[in-house]
Short mmCIF file of all heavy atoms in Angstrom, two decimals:
data_model
loop_
_atom_site.label_atom_id
_atom_site.label_comp_id
_atom_site.label_asym_id
_atom_site.label_seq_id
_atom_site.Cartn_x
_atom_site.Cartn_y
_atom_site.Cartn_z
N GLU A 267 -12.75 8.02 3.04
CA GLU A 267 -11.46 8.75 2.60
C GLU A 267 -11.10 8.47 1.17
O GLU A 267 -11.31 7.39 0.64
CB GLU A 267 -10.16 8.26 3.40
CG GLU A 267 -10.28 8.43 4.90
CD GLU A 267 -10.08 9.83 5.38
OE1 GLU A 267 -9.55 10.60 4.63
OE2 GLU A 267 -10.51 10.04 6.47
N SER A 268 -10.72 9.57 0.44
CA SER A 268 -10.25 9.44 -0.86
C SER A 268 -8.73 9.20 -0.78
O SER A 268 -8.24 9.00 0.30
CB SER A 268 -10.46 10.61 -1.82
OG SER A 268 -10.01 11.82 -1.27
N GLN A 269 -8.05 9.12 -1.80
CA GLN A 269 -6.60 8.98 -1.65
C GLN A 269 -5.87 9.97 -0.94
O GLN A 269 -6.26 11.23 -1.10
CB GLN A 269 -5.88 8.92 -3.12
CG GLN A 269 -4.52 8.56 -3.07
CD GLN A 269 -3.82 8.41 -4.43
OE1 GLN A 269 -4.22 9.14 -5.29
NE2 GLN A 269 -2.97 7.51 -4.54
N ILE A 270 -5.12 9.70 0.09
CA ILE A 270 -4.43 10.64 0.93
C ILE A 270 -3.10 10.83 0.36
O ILE A 270 -2.26 10.02 0.29
CB ILE A 270 -4.40 10.04 2.37
CG1 ILE A 270 -5.84 9.82 2.93
CG2 ILE A 270 -3.63 10.92 3.39
CD1 ILE A 270 -5.98 9.03 4.23
N VAL A 271 -2.83 12.10 0.05
CA VAL A 271 -1.55 12.46 -0.58
C VAL A 271 -0.62 13.20 0.55
O VAL A 271 -1.08 14.18 0.98
CB VAL A 271 -1.65 13.27 -1.79
CG1 VAL A 271 -0.28 13.62 -2.28
CG2 VAL A 271 -2.41 12.45 -2.85
N VAL A 272 0.45 12.62 0.92
CA VAL A 272 1.39 13.33 1.88
C VAL A 272 2.38 14.09 0.97
O VAL A 272 3.19 13.63 0.29
CB VAL A 272 2.08 12.20 2.69
CG1 VAL A 272 2.98 12.89 3.70
CG2 VAL A 272 1.00 11.31 3.44
N ALA A 273 2.32 15.44 1.23
CA ALA A 273 3.12 16.26 0.37
C ALA A 273 4.42 16.76 1.09
O ALA A 273 5.36 17.10 0.45
CB ALA A 273 2.42 17.50 -0.02
N ALA A 274 4.48 16.83 2.44
CA ALA A 274 5.62 17.28 3.23
C ALA A 274 6.44 16.03 3.77
O ALA A 274 5.96 14.98 3.85
CB ALA A 274 5.11 18.24 4.39
N ASN A 275 7.66 16.35 4.13
CA ASN A 275 8.59 15.30 4.55
C ASN A 275 8.28 15.04 5.99
O ASN A 275 7.97 15.95 6.79
CB ASN A 275 9.98 15.62 4.49
CG ASN A 275 10.52 15.66 3.01
OD1 ASN A 275 10.03 14.88 2.19
ND2 ASN A 275 11.32 16.64 2.59
N ASN A 276 8.46 13.84 6.39
CA ASN A 276 8.46 13.39 7.89
C ASN A 276 7.10 13.73 8.51
O ASN A 276 7.16 14.09 9.61
CB ASN A 276 9.54 14.11 8.60
CG ASN A 276 10.98 13.70 8.03
OD1 ASN A 276 11.10 12.51 7.72
ND2 ASN A 276 11.85 14.67 7.88
N ILE A 277 6.02 13.63 7.87
CA ILE A 277 4.71 13.67 8.45
C ILE A 277 4.43 12.40 9.25
O ILE A 277 4.61 11.24 8.73
CB ILE A 277 3.51 13.81 7.45
CG1 ILE A 277 3.79 15.14 6.72
CG2 ILE A 277 2.17 13.81 8.07
CD1 ILE A 277 3.57 16.34 7.47
N THR A 278 3.92 12.47 10.53
CA THR A 278 3.74 11.30 11.34
C THR A 278 2.27 11.17 11.35
O THR A 278 1.54 12.08 11.82
CB THR A 278 4.29 11.44 12.78
OG1 THR A 278 5.81 11.56 12.63
CG2 THR A 278 3.98 10.23 13.65
N LEU A 279 1.73 9.85 11.04
CA LEU A 279 0.26 9.63 11.37
C LEU A 279 0.21 8.65 12.46
O LEU A 279 0.86 7.52 12.37
CB LEU A 279 -0.21 8.95 10.00
CG LEU A 279 -1.69 8.58 9.98
CD1 LEU A 279 -2.60 9.62 10.19
CD2 LEU A 279 -1.95 7.80 8.67
N THR A 280 -0.51 8.98 13.50
CA THR A 280 -0.44 8.23 14.67
C THR A 280 -1.91 8.16 15.25
O THR A 280 -2.81 8.79 14.66
CB THR A 280 0.46 8.74 15.82
OG1 THR A 280 0.56 7.85 16.88
CG2 THR A 280 0.04 10.18 16.22
N HIS A 281 -2.22 7.41 16.24
CA HIS A 281 -3.48 7.43 16.98
C HIS A 281 -3.28 7.39 18.40
O HIS A 281 -2.25 6.94 18.99
CB HIS A 281 -4.25 6.35 16.41
CG HIS A 281 -3.85 4.93 17.05
ND1 HIS A 281 -4.27 4.36 18.21
CD2 HIS A 281 -2.90 4.01 16.57
CE1 HIS A 281 -3.70 3.30 18.47
NE2 HIS A 281 -2.88 3.01 17.47
N THR A 282 -4.38 7.77 19.07
CA THR A 282 -4.29 7.65 20.60
C THR A 282 -5.65 6.94 21.10
O THR A 282 -5.99 6.83 22.24
CB THR A 282 -4.44 9.13 21.31
OG1 THR A 282 -5.53 9.79 20.72
CG2 THR A 282 -3.09 9.80 20.94
N ALA A 283 -6.18 6.10 20.16
CA ALA A 283 -7.25 5.18 20.45
C ALA A 283 -6.69 4.02 21.47
O ALA A 283 -5.63 3.82 21.42
CB ALA A 283 -7.89 4.64 19.35
N SER A 284 -7.54 3.29 22.00
CA SER A 284 -7.16 2.27 22.94
C SER A 284 -6.56 1.12 22.17
O SER A 284 -6.86 0.95 20.88
CB SER A 284 -8.27 1.75 23.73
OG SER A 284 -9.17 1.09 22.94
N ALA A 285 -5.78 0.33 22.82
CA ALA A 285 -5.32 -0.85 22.12
C ALA A 285 -6.22 -1.91 21.57
O ALA A 285 -5.96 -2.69 20.75
CB ALA A 285 -4.21 -1.59 23.09
N LEU A 286 -7.41 -1.84 22.15
CA LEU A 286 -8.45 -2.80 21.77
C LEU A 286 -9.33 -2.22 20.72
O LEU A 286 -10.11 -3.05 20.04
CB LEU A 286 -9.39 -3.01 23.08
CG LEU A 286 -8.85 -3.65 24.27
CD1 LEU A 286 -9.68 -3.75 25.32
CD2 LEU A 286 -8.19 -4.97 23.88
N GLY A 287 -9.27 -0.98 20.29
CA GLY A 287 -10.08 -0.38 19.34
C GLY A 287 -9.38 0.65 18.45
O GLY A 287 -9.78 1.67 18.42
N ARG A 288 -8.41 0.20 17.74
CA ARG A 288 -7.61 1.18 16.91
C ARG A 288 -8.47 1.59 15.75
O ARG A 288 -9.40 0.85 15.21
CB ARG A 288 -6.41 0.44 16.47
CG ARG A 288 -5.50 0.19 17.71
CD ARG A 288 -4.02 -0.30 17.23
NE ARG A 288 -3.29 -0.38 18.35
CZ ARG A 288 -2.55 -1.48 18.66
NH1 ARG A 288 -2.74 -2.60 18.02
NH2 ARG A 288 -1.85 -1.46 19.71
N PRO A 289 -8.21 2.88 15.20
CA PRO A 289 -8.94 3.21 14.09
C PRO A 289 -8.51 2.37 12.83
O PRO A 289 -7.35 1.86 12.71
CB PRO A 289 -8.38 4.70 13.79
CG PRO A 289 -7.26 4.83 14.65
CD PRO A 289 -7.28 3.79 15.66
N ILE A 290 -9.46 2.31 11.92
CA ILE A 290 -9.25 1.49 10.63
C ILE A 290 -9.28 2.37 9.49
O ILE A 290 -10.38 3.13 9.35
CB ILE A 290 -10.25 0.35 10.53
CG1 ILE A 290 -10.12 -0.69 11.75
CG2 ILE A 290 -10.17 -0.43 9.18
CD1 ILE A 290 -11.14 -1.55 12.03
N ILE A 291 -8.53 2.29 8.44
CA ILE A 291 -8.62 3.15 7.27
C ILE A 291 -9.12 2.00 6.17
O ILE A 291 -8.21 1.15 5.94
CB ILE A 291 -7.30 3.64 6.78
CG1 ILE A 291 -6.81 4.69 7.97
CG2 ILE A 291 -7.57 4.48 5.46
CD1 ILE A 291 -5.43 5.30 7.67
N ASP A 292 -10.22 2.08 5.77
CA ASP A 292 -10.76 1.03 4.79
C ASP A 292 -10.90 1.71 3.35
O ASP A 292 -11.73 2.44 3.15
CB ASP A 292 -12.15 0.69 5.26
CG ASP A 292 -12.74 -0.48 4.48
OD1 ASP A 292 -12.10 -0.87 3.46
OD2 ASP A 292 -13.92 -0.83 4.72
N ALA A 293 -10.01 1.29 2.48
CA ALA A 293 -9.96 1.64 1.18
C ALA A 293 -10.59 0.80 0.21
O ALA A 293 -10.39 0.88 -0.99
CB ALA A 293 -8.55 2.00 0.71
N SER A 294 -11.30 -0.25 0.63
CA SER A 294 -11.82 -1.28 -0.09
C SER A 294 -12.72 -0.89 -1.25
O SER A 294 -12.82 -1.57 -2.35
CB SER A 294 -12.46 -2.47 0.71
OG SER A 294 -13.68 -2.00 1.37
N GLY A 295 -13.45 0.12 -1.03
CA GLY A 295 -14.50 0.68 -2.03
C GLY A 295 -13.94 1.64 -2.94
O GLY A 295 -14.69 2.22 -3.94
N LEU A 296 -12.61 2.01 -2.80
CA LEU A 296 -12.10 3.01 -3.77
C LEU A 296 -11.57 2.46 -5.11
O LEU A 296 -11.08 3.21 -5.93
CB LEU A 296 -10.91 3.66 -2.91
CG LEU A 296 -11.33 4.48 -1.75
CD1 LEU A 296 -10.20 5.13 -0.99
CD2 LEU A 296 -12.35 5.56 -2.04
N GLY A 297 -11.44 1.10 -5.26
CA GLY A 297 -10.97 0.62 -6.44
C GLY A 297 -9.47 0.71 -6.60
O GLY A 297 -8.87 0.66 -7.66
N SER A 298 -8.74 0.90 -5.57
CA SER A 298 -7.29 1.07 -5.45
C SER A 298 -6.75 0.27 -4.30
O SER A 298 -7.40 0.10 -3.30
CB SER A 298 -7.05 2.53 -5.37
OG SER A 298 -5.64 2.63 -5.13
N THR A 299 -5.56 -0.16 -4.42
CA THR A 299 -4.93 -0.92 -3.40
C THR A 299 -4.12 0.01 -2.43
O THR A 299 -3.55 -0.47 -1.45
CB THR A 299 -4.05 -1.99 -3.96
OG1 THR A 299 -3.14 -1.46 -4.72
CG2 THR A 299 -4.83 -3.16 -4.55
N GLU A 300 -3.91 1.14 -2.96
CA GLU A 300 -3.03 2.21 -2.10
C GLU A 300 -3.86 3.41 -1.85
O GLU A 300 -4.11 4.16 -2.75
CB GLU A 300 -1.88 2.52 -2.90
CG GLU A 300 -0.93 3.41 -2.27
CD GLU A 300 0.41 3.64 -2.97
OE1 GLU A 300 0.26 3.93 -4.16
OE2 GLU A 300 1.44 3.68 -2.37
N ILE A 301 -4.26 3.51 -0.63
CA ILE A 301 -4.93 4.77 -0.12
C ILE A 301 -4.07 5.90 0.22
O ILE A 301 -4.33 7.10 0.02
CB ILE A 301 -5.83 4.53 1.01
CG1 ILE A 301 -6.80 5.73 1.25
CG2 ILE A 301 -5.20 4.20 2.19
CD1 ILE A 301 -7.95 5.53 2.22
N ILE A 302 -2.79 5.53 0.62
CA ILE A 302 -1.95 6.68 0.90
C ILE A 302 -0.68 6.57 0.10
O ILE A 302 -0.02 5.68 -0.14
CB ILE A 302 -1.38 6.52 2.47
CG1 ILE A 302 -2.63 6.55 3.53
CG2 ILE A 302 -0.33 7.51 2.67
CD1 ILE A 302 -2.15 6.37 4.88
N SER A 303 -0.50 7.79 -0.60
CA SER A 303 0.66 7.94 -1.37
C SER A 303 1.52 9.15 -1.09
O SER A 303 1.04 9.92 -0.44
CB SER A 303 0.19 8.17 -2.83
OG SER A 303 -0.30 9.40 -3.00
N LEU A 304 2.76 9.05 -1.40
CA LEU A 304 3.75 10.03 -1.22
C LEU A 304 4.04 10.88 -2.38
O LEU A 304 4.21 10.30 -3.42
CB LEU A 304 5.06 9.40 -0.72
CG LEU A 304 4.76 8.57 0.42
CD1 LEU A 304 6.17 7.78 0.81
CD2 LEU A 304 4.41 9.28 1.80
N ALA A 305 3.99 12.23 -2.14
CA ALA A 305 4.25 13.17 -3.32
C ALA A 305 5.85 13.03 -3.71
O ALA A 305 6.63 12.60 -2.86
CB ALA A 305 4.01 14.60 -2.89
N PRO A 306 6.06 13.35 -4.95
CA PRO A 306 7.58 13.39 -5.32
C PRO A 306 8.34 14.07 -4.29
O PRO A 306 8.04 15.10 -3.80
CB PRO A 306 7.49 14.06 -6.71
CG PRO A 306 6.10 13.89 -7.23
CD PRO A 306 5.30 13.93 -5.88
N ASN A 307 9.76 13.57 -4.22
CA ASN A 307 10.70 14.29 -3.39
C ASN A 307 10.36 14.11 -1.93
O ASN A 307 10.92 14.77 -1.06
CB ASN A 307 10.96 15.68 -3.77
CG ASN A 307 11.44 15.61 -5.15
OD1 ASN A 307 12.17 14.80 -5.64
ND2 ASN A 307 10.85 16.66 -5.91
N SER A 308 9.35 13.25 -1.48
CA SER A 308 9.15 13.14 -0.10
C SER A 308 9.68 11.89 0.51
O SER A 308 10.18 11.06 -0.34
CB SER A 308 7.60 13.26 0.19
OG SER A 308 7.00 12.07 -0.40
#
């Protein structure tokens, strides 16, 4: 994933994976500590 920009208000990011194996967002190779950012006025 590159930087994920949320542009609309009240977007919900959720998962339906099992409790034992949740999805992982790994941004360690992007050179940034913030993979998800919010657009202005959101």
Side-chain angles (χ1 to χ4, degrees):
E267 299 285 343
S268 58
Q269 187 176 35
I270 299 169
V271 178
V272 180
N275 289 323
N276 300 316
I277 299 295
T278 299
L279 180 62
T280 188
H281 74 88
T282 54
S284 73
L286 298 176
R288 294 187 173 127
I290 298 167
I291 302 172
D292 180 1
S294 63
L296 297 176
S298 173
T299 58
E300 182 176 46
I301 188 170
I302 299 174
S303 66
L304 303 173
N307 301 318
S308 64

